[in-house]
Amino acid sequence: MVANYIVVIDIETSRLIGMAGRKNEDGRISVLAVEEEKAGGSIRRGNIYHKEEAAGLIKRLVEKLQNRISGELPDYRIRKVYVGVGGQSLRSIDHTELKSLSLGATVTKSDLQVLDEQCRAYRPELDDVVGIAPPVYYVDGKRVEQAEGLPATYIEARYKQITGRPSIRTCVMDCVQRAGLQLAGLIVSPLALAEATLGREEKEAGCALIGFHTGVTSVAVYRHSELVHLSVIPLGAGLIIGDLVKTLKLQEQDAEWLKRSYGLSLAEKEKSNGYPQGAIAINGQEVEPRRLNAVIEGRVKEIVENVHECVRLSGDIASLGAGIVLAGNESNLKELPELLRQRFKLEITSATIRQERMEENERRLGHPNYMTAIGLLIQGTENCLQYIAPPDPEPVVVPKQDEPEIKPPPSPDGRTRNPRPANPPKGKSGLGRFIDRIRQQSEDLFSDKDFYREDEGTQKSKNDE
């Protein structure tokens, strides 16, 4: 029985990433297959807007994954998928549940389960709860790391619910069903990314995980090991491409090349040695470095300012001892870490998947494109593969041979006598069947004319003598 095989789909603005992995006995993840599909116009800012097209993308993506894993698991088929959601409108809200205990009682596991059930049952107005961060417990008003087993008169659980538009869940469920699959569950992508990249020390010291993506930018802030803020800003690096296309009259692929090749590096050259001599030539066009930098830097600074405001609203920025952790498929934009360092006055580090989460020598550990998908794999708990028994082999039909004809023994003159009946008549006793056999033998004997001729000739010879 195959267990712990997880299949996930990470919905991004410009593409969908599918990943299949195996959870080993020690809890580490082994990536079995990775595939991508360009999203086209069906997805914007991480949300599905065209269900039919998105369903087709999911179906093709899963078919690619199935082909990749069939060599190792030929008798298993992908039947379920986890889908990561991290688009526009996601945000965290505070929610608290209380439970009173009898005098002298201690907190039990059942008490904590009741609090969790009450939290899951709560629905805020207008929004849908797509995820819940682990709670922080207070026993008799005092925060504790472990509540179970402690004496208490009441227990308080403080949650961070991740909410978004109700259409997020309904669109994902509809698309997965249209693709002929079952939805194993929704996973909040920024939370999955945080669990895969941040260690206990970073969360305890305080840090802000910035997911700089194509369509959106996510912000997750931790203090004292607790999630204190999560939001998704509807601004991403894809806006830089649009700005370059409109402002400099470039083709989209040329704008993408310039963004990745130069990024914010030209701004640093301006501060030091000035801009490079001459324009940048690309596909018969010339781009002035000063204009290129003005477009890129202007948009990136806008995004950074929005991120700064989110972190500021969550509390004192200077208290983030572990600084800013930068992740996302657009986090490799040149000089972006330096711009963040100048604005936040904090240490900036690049995110990597924690070693204890993955098998050794996994080449995707530090790849920004796949970190969120790996985080989704880590969060998945339900087996996504179904065993399909191979068809039974067709039975081999052996041609039936004709039974040889049984002939009675020949008479002394070489003629064949009448055969005895193969099956004696039913309903007669043993004596009756014996009499029938005697009668049949008598008929055979007296029906032989040569027998009489032979006897007649013999008698005449005796008379002559």
Side-chain angles (χ1 to χ4, degrees), residues 238-352:
L239 293 175
I240 299 174
I241 305 301
D243 293 342
L244 292 175
V245 170
K246 293 177 182 179
T247 304
L248 303 181
K249 311 300 180 185
L250 296 170
Q251 296 296 320
E252 187 172 324
Q253 61 270 21
D254 295 337
E256 174 68 27
W257 182 84
L258 286 171
K259 175 180 73 70
R260 294 196 176 278
S261 299
Y262 292 94
L264 296 167
S265 59
L266 295 178
E268 294 304 310
K269 290 183 179 181
E270 180 184 24
K271 295 175 183 177
S272 56
N273 301 322
Y275 284 110
Q277 296 295 322
I280 302 171
I282 180 170
N283 286 341
Q285 290 183 262
E286 291 187 348
V287 177
E288 184 182 350
R290 187 181 299 275
R291 294 189 65 196
L292 174 63
N293 178 72
V295 173
I296 296 177
E297 186 176 18
R299 180 62 76 176
V300 174
K301 282 187 174 181
E302 178 189 9
I303 298 173
V304 170
E305 284 302 317
N306 278 269
V307 171
H308 186 274
E309 181 65 12
C310 289
V311 178
R312 186 190 67 80
L313 291 175
S314 71
D316 183 18
I317 293 179
S319 66
L320 300 178
I324 305 295
V325 182
L326 185 59
N329 64 310
E330 296 288 350
S331 60
N332 54 1
L333 184 71
K334 289 185 176 181
E335 302 302 331
L336 176 61
E338 179 59 31
L339 183 61
L340 289 169
R341 186 177 293 108
Q342 294 174 6
R343 185 66 184 91
F344 282 89
K345 304 295 190 295
L346 295 173
E347 180 183 0
I348 310 296
T349 58
S350 296
T352 57

Side-chain angles (χ1 to χ4, degrees), residues 106-411:
T106 59
V107 180
T108 65
K109 185 176 182 180
S110 177
D111 294 328
L112 302 182
Q113 290 175 344
V114 168
L115 294 172
D116 287 345
E117 291 171 0
Q118 292 175 177
C119 179
R120 286 194 295 269
Y122 173 78
R123 290 292 180 268
E125 294 183 4
L126 303 178
D127 284 340
D128 180 29
V129 178
V130 296
I132 303 174
V136 177
Y137 295 110
Y138 288 77
V139 172
D140 294 338
K142 182 180 179 181
R143 177 175 172 169
V144 296
E145 293 293 330
Q146 179 64 38
E148 187 176 350
L150 295 179
T153 57
Y154 73 94
I155 180 172
E156 177 184 357
R158 298 181 184 178
Y159 297 88
K160 286 289 184 180
Q161 291 184 329
I162 313 304
T163 66
R165 291 179 295 194
S167 60
I168 294 176
R169 183 185 299 274
T170 56
C171 285
V172 170
M173 292 181 64
D174 194 11
C175 290
V176 171
Q177 290 174 359
R178 291 189 188 195
L181 300 163
Q182 299 176 34
L183 181 64
L186 288 180
I187 301 176
V188 179
S189 294
L191 287 182
L193 180 63
E195 292 303 311
T197 59
L198 300 180
R200 181 180 179 85
E201 297 79 8
E202 291 169 305
K203 292 181 180 179
E204 178 64 31
C207 66
L209 175 65
I210 311 301
F212 193 48
H213 304 283
T214 302
V216 297
T217 301
S218 62
V219 182
V221 182
Y222 288 84
R223 286 189 175 88
H224 306 296
S225 300
E226 175 186 353
L227 176 70
V228 296
H229 174 83
L230 186 143
S231 61
V232 177
I233 302 169
L235 302 172
L239 293 175
I240 299 174
I241 305 301
D243 293 342
L244 292 175
V245 170
K246 293 177 182 179
T247 304
L248 303 181
K249 311 300 180 185
L250 296 170
Q251 296 296 320
E252 187 172 324
Q253 61 270 21
D254 295 337
E256 174 68 27
W257 182 84
L258 286 171
K259 175 180 73 70
R260 294 196 176 278
S261 299
Y262 292 94
L264 296 167
S265 59
L266 295 178
E268 294 304 310
K269 290 183 179 181
E270 180 184 24
K271 295 175 183 177
S272 56
N273 301 322
Y275 284 110
Q277 296 295 322
I280 302 171
I282 180 170
N283 286 341
Q285 290 183 262
E286 291 187 348
V287 177
E288 184 182 350
R290 187 181 299 275
R291 294 189 65 196
L292 174 63
N293 178 72
V295 173
I296 296 177
E297 186 176 18
R299 180 62 76 176
V300 174
K301 282 187 174 181
E302 178 189 9
I303 298 173
V304 170
E305 284 302 317
N306 278 269
V307 171
H308 186 274
E309 181 65 12
C310 289
V311 178
R312 186 190 67 80
L313 291 175
S314 71
D316 183 18
I317 293 179
S319 66
L320 300 178
I324 305 295
V325 182
L326 185 59
N329 64 310
E330 296 288 350
S331 60
N332 54 1
L333 184 71
K334 289 185 176 181
E335 302 302 331
L336 176 61
E338 179 59 31
L339 183 61
L340 289 169
R341 186 177 293 108
Q342 294 174 6
R343 185 66 184 91
F344 282 89
K345 304 295 190 295
L346 295 173
E347 180 183 0
I348 310 296
T349 58
S350 296
T352 57
I353 302 296
R354 291 153 55 193
Q355 290 286 346
E356 66 271 20
R357 292 291 197 175
M358 300 289 293
E359 284 293 337
E360 295 181 2
N361 302 322
E362 172 56 60
R363 60 187 178 86
R364 300 178 184 86
L365 281 173
H367 200 299
N369 288 349
Y370 303 122
M371 286 186 189
T372 300
I374 291 174
L376 299 177
L377 281 181
I378 294 171
Q379 294 298 305
T381 57
E382 187 174 344
N383 185 38
C384 296
L385 301 189
Q386 179 183 0
Y387 175 73
I388 305 297
D392 295 332
E394 296 183 2
V396 179
V397 180
V398 180
K400 185 177 181 181
Q401 298 180 354
D402 295 335
E403 296 182 358
E405 183 181 358
I406 302 176
K407 297 181 179 181
S411 61

Side-chain angles (χ1 to χ4, degrees), residues 420-442:
R420 297 177 182 177
N423 297 317
K426 296 182 179 180
K428 292 186 178 182
S429 64
L431 178 60
R433 291 196 296 272
F434 175 73
I435 294 173
D436 288 343
R437 286 199 299 271
I438 296 299
R439 183 183 293 115
Q440 182 65 41
Q441 291 175 359
S442 299

